[in-house]
């Protein structure tokens, strides 16, 4: 928990997100500015600022985030048609909230390469 972190406040309930999935390790909620019909953010409950801060001590969390993403994709009906998972790492990749999060995007055709 980091006091001034937006996503930590969602984990503690100080700010109530539109939650779509939760377990003991991760929280998933709808993005406030969706870029696709399905746009969910999966965050670890533990504060980790960027993908660069993952190491062997917390590697299990990455797997749990992706398992949650797969479940969300199935539950929202986009798993078969296709969906995209994205982690933006640091400002050059567009990261704007420094509590690591996995974007789950689906419900429309995705272009490649991303911008
Ligand atoms: P990033 O740019 O760091 O990869 O993604 C941050 C995401 O957080 C953006 O897609 C943005 O729309 C979303 N976001 C920012 N503030 C809020 C908020 O207060 N609530 C929710 N649900 N999403 C937010
Ligand atoms: Zn945080």
């Amino acid at each position: 928990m980091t006091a001034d972190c937006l996503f930590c406040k969602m984990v503690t309930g100080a700010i109530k997100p539109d939650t779509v999935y939760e377990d003991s390790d991760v929280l998933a909620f709808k993005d406030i500015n969706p870029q696709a019909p399905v746009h969910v953010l999966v965050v670890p409950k533990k504060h980790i600022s960027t993908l660069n801060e993952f190491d062997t001590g917390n590697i299990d969390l990455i797997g749990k985030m992706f398992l949650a993403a797969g479940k969300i994709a199935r539950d929202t009906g986009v798993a078969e048609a296709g969906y995209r998972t994205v982690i933006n790492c640091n400002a050059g990749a567009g990261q704007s909230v420094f509590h690591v999060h996995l974007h789950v995007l689906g419900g429309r055709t995705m272009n490649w390469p991303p911008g």
Side-chain angles (χ1 to χ4, degrees), residues 27-98:
L27 177 70
F29 50 87
K30 291 184 182 175
D31 196 293
I32 203 168
N33 183 24
Q35 301 302 309
V38 173
H39 188 173
V40 172
L41 303 175
V42 182
V43 310
K45 289 190 168 178
K46 176 183 160 72
H47 180 87
I48 296 169
S49 27
T50 82
L51 188 61
N52 289 339
E53 275 66 54
F54 277 92
D55 57 29
T56 53
N58 53 24
I59 193 170
D60 55 321
L61 276 176
I62 277 283
K64 288 173 178 176
M65 289 166 68
F66 276 94
L67 281 179
K71 175 173 170 45
I72 290 158
R74 289 190 297 278
D75 290 351
T76 56
V78 301
E80 294 308 317
Y83 63 100
R84 183 166 293 169
T85 52
V86 175
I87 295 177
N88 295 319
C89 184
N90 278 335
Q95 184 173 3
S96 59
V97 178
F98 285 81

Side-chain angles (χ1 to χ4, degrees), residues 5-23 25-46 65 68-69 72-73 76 96-105:
C5 171
L6 176 64
F7 290 171
C8 280
K9 287 179 183 159
M10 294 182 175
V11 169
T12 63
I15 297 174
K16 301 227 178 300
D18 192 346
T19 299
V20 299
Y21 175 77
E22 181 172 14
D23 63 29
D25 297 301
V26 306
L27 177 70
F29 50 87
K30 291 184 182 175
D31 196 293
I32 203 168
N33 183 24
Q35 301 302 309
V38 173
H39 188 173
V40 172
L41 303 175
V42 182
V43 310
K45 289 190 168 178
K46 176 183 160 72
M65 289 166 68
I72 290 158
T76 56
S96 59
V97 178
F98 285 81
H99 178 132
V100 73
H101 47 281
L102 179 62
H103 295 258
V104 182
L105 298 141

